[in-house]
Amino acid sequence: MPEMSQPARSDDVERYLARAVDLAVANVAEGGGPFGAVVVLPDGRTFEGQNRVTRDNDPTAHAEVVAIRGAAAAAGFDLTGAALYASCEPCPLCLAAALWARIGSVHYAADRHDAAAVGFDDAAFYEYFDAGSGGHGEHSLLPIIRTQMPTQGRPFTAWTEFEGRVEY
């Protein structure tokens, strides 16, 4: 589980959320999606991201992911204690990225309903994950089907035997 960061002061939250909103508005003017994000590390360094999905033809280049990538490139992949500020409620992809990065808190301004009102409806994604194991199978939104095979454990054996591995 991510370690909780120190509670943010309300003026810090408002300042970083305002910056995320400004990044989102500026991104629209540059042909990108209406999303911006800021990661603030415990030492105060900040990393900004704007939605680059259409500009980079990268469906994973959400503003939050872009900001997390910048922070991780500078500080390492473990961002324990960092805070993520987003102009809009993070989608499941962005929440997963924050969890993997061990971000300590997530703050957002607009919510998923505000985004849906202008055509960004991630409701199917939230419903998919809310379904739990019922989301798996060949008839779900995205079929996720396990196929067991004799060599499936080889990568894990290689990992446990590799003395130079970096734990995460």
Side-chain angles (χ1 to χ4, degrees):
M1 288 304 255
E3 180 180 299
M4 294 296 291
S5 59
Q6 292 296 320
R9 295 189 339 242
S10 64
D11 56 330
D12 286 341
V13 171
E14 291 176 16
R15 178 169 48 110
Y16 291 123
L17 284 177
R19 179 62 186 149
V21 168
D22 288 346
L23 288 165
V25 171
N27 201 45
V28 170
E30 296 169 9
F35 304 99
V38 178
V39 170
V40 180
L41 299 181
D43 65 11
R45 288 183 288 166
T46 62
F47 300 86
E48 299 179 343
Q50 293 172 300
N51 182 286
R52 301 194 55 84
V53 171
T54 56
R55 283 192 277 172
D56 294 355
N57 288 316
D58 179 353
T60 68
H62 293 201
E64 299 89 337
V65 173
V66 171
I68 290 168
R69 287 175 181 163
F77 63 83
D78 185 341
L79 302 177
T80 297
L84 171 63
Y85 299 89
S87 62
C88 187
E89 181 178 4
C91 72
L93 166 76
C94 297
L95 289 175
L99 286 165
W100 276 111
R102 294 168 177 72
I103 299 269
S105 62
V106 176
H107 307 265
Y108 62 90
D111 69 15
R112 67 181 83 171
H113 307 291
D114 298 318
V118 296
F120 291 93
D121 193 358
D122 299 343
F125 302 148
Y126 287 103
E127 290 170 12
Y128 179 80
F129 288 107
D130 287 344
S133 61
H136 287 58
E138 61 186 77
H139 300 293
S140 67
L141 176 65
L142 173 65
I144 301 174
I145 304 161
R146 179 178 184 189
T147 302
Q148 293 189 12
M149 47 191 293
T151 58
Q152 67 193 27
R154 287 183 54 210
F156 301 119
T157 300
W159 170 256
T160 57
E161 292 174 356
F162 181 58
E163 291 182 19
R165 70 181 177 265
V166 175
E167 301 281 348
Y168 61 100

